[in-house]
């Protein structure tokens, strides 16, 4: 558990008292957000890295305003996310449209707002960008290994190696400006060798592109920086010790700028969700605790067996954890289970506060994930 977040939870609990804390609610510490921003900003490429926050991780207004004040740029994947940034008066020059496959109308809206940087990974996408955002800057997302990531993201996006140079040349033929290379090593990737291999491959591509007469101006490292249930500072130090020598050579030899699109790294350990037990029951399968929040409220990663931590901020936290419980949400869906066979004190009772963490990333923003709204219903 992140020590900073534990301290935030304890302070909030003791300040507000057990009975006065409204549940469910997410408590989000903006000071941790600021610390995380300064940490990654100062670490990558020895401080010569531009941050473009991936707002899909947390698109709350307070989060965006704080990052804006720190000088961060932003990354979007849809018209919905563009509208969020427009409402917060974000300069279009500070926005990247990094989804490699975009809806035509979304491209036009971004272009009309003033955005001039668009990702692509196919010949088909180049046609769309050339049509809807003529003369724009484009950057190629390449296929790289996701080995070591908790959630692999290498099947849906990423151009195959055989097409890399061809795609960059085709971009020029369509009067677009191929200026960048990007990749994504998956979500929460702690494998240093995977990071090194991806940066090595991107670095070689930049050299090959320059030899082909294509001036690449930046390398975008994407996201995937580990923070979920790991020591994010420790892992970041290990990653940068591996990739910084390569990045520094790119900067020195080719005047390449370095960009990163952290999401989870910045916000995950800023938040925790306070819930309350409203029923304690004995079933044929064991002991059950019912809490007043559901995994359908943003914790969809649990369906993919991604784990979260559970914390009891009350004095009962000091007792023996010797009874197995299943902790479930209030819906009628039997898959709405946060934890199975987790050990807690037998004294846990109705009214008890339970805290689920981390809850700063991908919880609140899932109301309209990636900025795409829930479908409307037409009744006939």
């Amino acid at each position: 558990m992140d020590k900073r977040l534990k301290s935030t939870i304890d302070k909030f609990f003791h300040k507000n008292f057990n009975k006065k804390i409204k549940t469910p609610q997410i408590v989000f510490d903006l000071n941790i957000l600021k610390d995380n921003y300064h940490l990654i900003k100062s670490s990558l490429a020895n401080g010569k890295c531009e941050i473009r926050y991936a707002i899909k991780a947390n698109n709350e207004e307070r989060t965006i305003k704080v990052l804006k004040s720190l000088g961060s740029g932003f990354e979007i994947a849809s018209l919905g996310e563009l509208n969020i940034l427009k409402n917060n008066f974000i300069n279009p020059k500070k926005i990247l449209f990094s989804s490699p496959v975009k809806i035509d109308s979304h491209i036009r809206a971004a272009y009309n707002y003033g955005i001039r940087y668009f990702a692509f990974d196919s010949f088909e996408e180049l046609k769309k960008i050339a049509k809807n955002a003529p003369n724009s800057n484009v950057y190629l997302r390449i296929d790289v290994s996701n080995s070591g990531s908790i959630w692999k993201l290498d099947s849906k996006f990423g151009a195959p190696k055989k097409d890399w140079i061809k795609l960059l040349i085709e971009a020029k033929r369509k009067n677009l400006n191929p200026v960048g290379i990007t990749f994504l090593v998956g979500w929460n990737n702690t494998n240093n060798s995977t990071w090194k291999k991806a940066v090595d491959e991107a670095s070689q591509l930049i050299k090959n592109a320059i030899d082909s007469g294509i001036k690449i101006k930046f390398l975008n490292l994407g996201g995937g920086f580990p923070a979920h249930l790991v020591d994010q500072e420790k892992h970041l130090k290990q990653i940068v010790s591996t990739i910084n020598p390569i990045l520094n050579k790119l900067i020195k030899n080719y005047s390449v700028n370095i960009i990163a699109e952290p999401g989870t790294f910045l916000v995950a350990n800023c938040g925790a969700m306070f819930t309350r037990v409203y029923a304690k029951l004995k079933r044929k399968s064991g002991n059950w605790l019912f809490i007043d929040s559901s995994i359908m409220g943003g914790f969809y990663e649990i369906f993919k067996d991604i784990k979260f931590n559970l914390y009891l901020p009350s004095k009962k936290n000091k007792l023996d954890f010797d009874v197995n419980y299943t902790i479930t949400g209030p819906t009628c869906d039997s898959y709405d289970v946060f934890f199975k066979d987790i050990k807690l004190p037998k004294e846990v009772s109705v009214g008890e506060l339970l805290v689920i963490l981390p809850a700063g990333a991908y919880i609140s923003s899932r109301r309209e994930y990636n900025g795409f709204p829930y479908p409307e219903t037409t009744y006939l």
Side-chain angles (χ1 to χ4, degrees):
M1 182 188 304
D2 188 288
K3 293 180 180 179
R4 300 167 302 169
L5 183 54
K6 181 180 181 298
S7 175
T8 295
I9 293 168
D10 289 337
K11 289 178 182 177
F12 182 82
F13 174 77
H14 291 298
K15 179 180 179 180
N16 293 279
F17 303 107
N18 182 1
K19 298 298 183 182
K20 293 185 178 181
I21 294 178
K22 178 183 177 181
T23 60
Q25 72 164 305
I26 292 175
V27 175
F28 192 94
D29 192 329
L30 293 171
N31 287 319
I32 298 177
L33 173 62
K34 294 174 184 178
D35 289 345
N36 290 343
Y37 177 85
H38 290 306
L39 174 61
I40 196 166
K41 169 76 174 170
S42 63
S43 299
L44 289 169
N46 301 117
K48 298 177 182 179
C49 180
E50 299 176 21
I51 302 300
R52 298 289 183 265
Y53 169 62
I55 73 166
K56 62 179 176 287
N58 183 312
N59 57 27
E60 296 290 326
E61 183 175 322
R62 291 290 299 278
T63 301
I64 292 171
K65 284 187 173 180
V66 166
L67 288 171
K68 177 184 177 182
S69 72
L70 294 173
S72 178
F74 299 86
E75 179 271 321
I76 62 170
S78 71
L79 175 59
E81 291 187 334
L82 170 61
N83 287 335
I84 291 171
L85 295 185
K86 287 173 67 175
N87 291 338
N88 284 277
F89 306 103
I90 302 301
N91 188 331
K93 294 180 180 180
K94 301 277 283 185
I95 302 173
L96 299 178
F97 204 145
S98 283
S99 174
V101 184
K102 297 168 284 297
I103 297 172
D104 291 68
S105 59
H106 294 198
I107 299 174
R108 288 195 298 273
Y111 184 79
N112 290 337
Y113 183 60
I115 294 174
R116 293 295 182 268
Y117 287 87
F118 299 88
F120 72 102
D121 67 357
S122 67
F123 295 100
E124 291 77 11
E125 188 69 11
L126 284 174
K127 294 177 184 177
K128 285 194 296 182
I129 297 172
K131 177 182 177 182
N132 296 289
N135 305 118
S136 289
N137 302 305
V138 293
Y139 49 107
L140 174 64
R141 176 159 163 179
I142 62 175
D143 179 29
V144 298
S145 171
N146 279 197
S147 176
S149 64
I150 294 180
W151 196 315
K152 290 180 170 53
L153 302 167
D154 54 354
S155 59
K156 188 173 180 178
F157 299 119
K161 193 170 186 177
K162 65 182 180 62
D163 290 338
W164 291 354
I165 292 295
K166 295 177 184 177
L167 283 162
L168 293 172
I169 293 173
E170 181 64 14
K172 290 190 69 175
R173 287 184 65 252
K174 292 191 176 303
N175 294 316
L176 297 169
N177 306 309
V179 295
I181 306 298
T182 189
F183 58 79
L184 185 58
V185 296
W187 183 68
N188 217 66
N189 199 318
T190 58
N191 190 326
N192 297 335
S193 63
T194 296
W195 280 96
K196 182 179 185 301
K197 183 179 179 182
V199 174
D200 273 332
E201 291 180 334
S203 178
Q204 186 60 53
L205 173 57
I206 290 172
K207 296 175 185 176
N208 294 341
I210 291 173
D211 291 340
S212 300
I214 300 170
K215 174 59 178 174
I216 300 298
K217 297 181 179 179
F218 68 80
L219 171 59
N220 183 342
L221 305 173
F225 299 96
H228 186 86
L229 299 189
V230 297
D231 185 332
Q232 64 187 101
E233 183 173 0
K234 171 187 171 183
H235 283 287
L236 182 64
K237 285 181 178 179
Q238 294 172 348
I239 290 168
V240 298
S241 68
T242 302
I243 68 174
N244 269 358
I246 310 170
L247 300 180
N248 292 335
K249 284 184 180 179
L250 281 174
I251 295 170
K252 179 180 179 181
N253 296 335
Y254 301 102
S255 300
V256 172
N257 294 322
I258 306 301
I259 297 173
E261 298 177 355
T264 297
F265 186 92
L266 290 180
V267 296
N269 288 315
C270 300
M273 183 174 71
F274 279 74
T275 68
R276 199 179 296 277
V277 176
Y278 73 89
K280 180 179 181 181
L281 301 172
K282 180 77 173 180
R283 301 295 195 195
K284 61 182 179 181
S285 57
N287 302 297
W288 286 69
L289 297 176
F290 286 70
I291 61 175
D292 56 7
S293 186
S294 165
I295 67 173
M296 283 69 168
F299 290 85
Y300 295 112
E301 288 96 343
I302 292 174
F303 285 124
K304 294 282 289 184
D305 294 326
I306 291 175
K307 308 300 181 184
F308 287 81
N309 274 336
L310 182 68
Y311 179 57
L312 279 70
S314 71
K315 64 180 186 300
K316 290 185 174 65
N317 199 42
K318 301 176 182 178
L319 302 178
D320 291 334
F321 284 60
D322 52 7
V323 177
N324 285 337
Y325 289 94
T326 294
I327 299 179
T328 184
T331 71
C332 292
D333 193 321
S334 60
Y335 286 95
D336 185 10
V337 173
F338 283 92
F339 303 94
K340 292 182 179 179
D341 294 325
I342 186 170
K343 290 189 178 298
L344 294 175
K346 64 180 180 180
E347 291 87 355
V348 172
S349 60
V350 171
E352 189 84 33
L353 279 171
L354 303 182
V355 180
I356 298 172
L357 66 154
Y362 297 106
I363 310 301
S364 59
S365 60
R366 282 219 166 94
R367 298 186 190 106
E368 291 188 355
Y369 181 58
N370 245 169
F372 291 98
Y374 293 132
E376 296 181 359
T377 301
T378 298
Y379 295 95
L380 301 177

